[in-house]
Amino acid sequence: MRILFMGTPDFAAVSLKRLVEDGHELCGVFTQPDKPRNRNKVTFSPVKEYALSHGLTVYQPTKLRDGTALELVKSLAPELIVVVAYGRILPKDILDVPPLGCVNVHASLLPKYRGSAPINWAMLNGDAETGVSIMYMAEELDAGDVILTAKTPIDPEEDLPSLWDRLAKVGAEALAEALPLLAAGTAPRTPQDSTQATFAPMLSRELSPIDWTKPVAAIRNQVRGLIPWPCATAELVGQRFKIYKTAVGTATDKTPGTLLSAGKKGIEVACGDGQSLWITELQAEGGKRMSAAAYLLGHPMNI
């Protein structure tokens, strides 16, 4: 099919790669405008990097509602628009252009976790399963009819980057499965039950501080679900740390937040459910990410 692709992060680049490998005609690629990142150096999005390396034409409109993007989309004459983590809401006039419609690869089992951070919230909430939905786009955010879904378990030991990478592949595979159905006009349309909808709002640093009165499982989910940003944080012996990895400890009757030990196994802290938690990987302010044991060699904590 003749497809206009819209996406920005590495999650989206995986689906773009699959479209190219499957032989679709990419009439253009929309991605977010370049932004300064590392020390104000402007870097391209992963989607733009992949598109340019494969000779695809890249467009980076700053506005979608002033008519210029609409005229551009019309001139490209796509049969279908595929959107994967583009980061912009498409207005109705653009949604109405392609004859086969606009589809979105959304990283949740809709109607659960509509919004911008579905993978994070599935992990933050301790879900045992998540997945990807291929859906028709509608004016309301992530509310369109679902074409198909693909499920995958969440390993209790994996962190957000691992699940992110896995879901990117699941999404690309599900997209490849849906496109022949769209081309043949046999793609199903399953309306979402909006009464069951939950939302996955944008992340913020307000989610970072660890509350030691919470159960060990909740704190571990917080740590896993906030990598690489904004990261769970804790203040230990007067210093603030980002926390990257933890392990379940043992039973304790100490007050939540009490430091119990610090050594080769890491830093042990009492939590709110009568259990302790081991911090095994961290990053001090101004320092590098490292194992807690390595940090303690140069910065012993007197418990």
Side-chain angles (χ1 to χ4, degrees):
M1 283 188 289
R2 182 176 172 85
I3 294 173
L4 173 59
F5 184 85
M6 300 183 179
T8 300
D10 50 0
F11 184 93
V14 177
S15 284
L16 176 58
K17 180 174 183 287
R18 181 60 186 263
L19 293 177
V20 171
E21 290 175 346
D22 285 354
H24 294 286
E25 178 189 355
L26 275 298
C27 60
V29 173
F30 277 34
T31 192
Q32 290 270 39
D34 301 331
K35 295 179 181 178
R37 287 185 175 86
N38 301 325
R39 298 182 180 178
N40 291 324
K41 180 181 179 181
V42 174
T43 56
F44 296 164
S45 74
V47 162
K48 182 175 180 179
E49 286 186 352
Y50 178 85
L52 293 177
S53 72
H54 285 74
L56 304 177
T57 304
V58 175
Y59 303 95
Q60 296 176 278
T62 56
K63 296 180 180 179
L64 296 180
R65 298 181 182 275
D66 63 357
T68 55
L70 174 62
E71 292 307 311
L72 174 58
V73 172
K74 286 181 177 179
S75 70
L76 293 172
E79 294 176 89
L80 178 76
I81 293 177
V82 173
V83 181
V84 188
Y86 180 32
R88 307 282 290 277
I89 296 176
L90 301 189
K92 186 177 186 301
D93 55 8
I94 291 179
L95 293 176
D96 290 341
V97 171
L100 294 179
C102 302
V103 298
N104 178 243
V105 179
H106 184 76
S108 81
L109 300 174
L110 291 168
K112 196 172 187 179
Y113 299 132
R114 296 176 181 177
S116 62
I119 308 177
N120 299 83
W121 285 101
M123 190 162 276
L124 289 168
N125 290 334
D127 291 2
E129 182 181 63
T130 186
V132 170
S133 299
I134 310 297
M135 54 168 281
Y136 290 98
M137 296 182 68
E139 285 187 89
E140 186 181 350
L141 181 65
D142 299 330
D145 295 344
V146 174
I147 299 170
L148 59 84
T149 60
K151 298 179 180 180
T152 186
I154 301 176
D155 189 296
E157 295 300 321
E158 72 180 325
D159 59 15
L160 196 287
S162 171
L163 181 58
W164 174 281
D165 291 345
R166 189 150 52 81
L167 280 175
K169 296 173 184 175
V170 171
E173 186 67 31
L175 176 63
E177 182 182 342
L179 291 183
L181 302 177
L182 287 158
T186 58
R189 301 190 73 118
T190 304
Q192 294 185 43
D193 182 355
S194 294
T195 65
Q196 300 299 310
T198 60
F199 294 89
M202 292 179 65
L203 303 179
S204 72
R205 287 191 173 90
E206 292 179 357
L207 298 170
S208 294
I210 291 174
D211 178 358
W212 296 108
T213 65
K214 290 184 176 181
V216 163
I219 296 172
R220 297 195 75 214
N221 292 337
Q222 178 185 2
V223 170
R224 296 187 305 136
L226 294 182
I227 299 171
W229 189 91
C231 288
T233 59
E235 189 169 303
L236 307 169
V237 293
Q239 185 169 1
R240 184 175 173 273
F241 295 88
K242 291 180 179 178
I243 310 301
Y244 286 97
K245 285 187 179 179
T246 63
V248 178
T250 57
T252 178
D253 59 1
K254 298 295 184 181
T255 303
T258 302
L259 292 184
L260 303 176
S261 62
K264 292 181 179 180
K265 289 185 63 176
I267 301 166
E268 187 182 15
V269 187
C271 299
D273 57 349
Q275 274 192 303
S276 68
L277 181 74
W278 286 101
I279 297 170
T280 59
E281 192 172 320
L282 47 65
Q283 181 178 357
E285 284 189 310
K288 295 181 179 180
R289 179 174 171 175
M290 63 178 67
S291 70
Y295 176 82
L296 290 169
L297 287 175
H299 308 83
M301 292 183 181
N302 296 319
I303 305 301

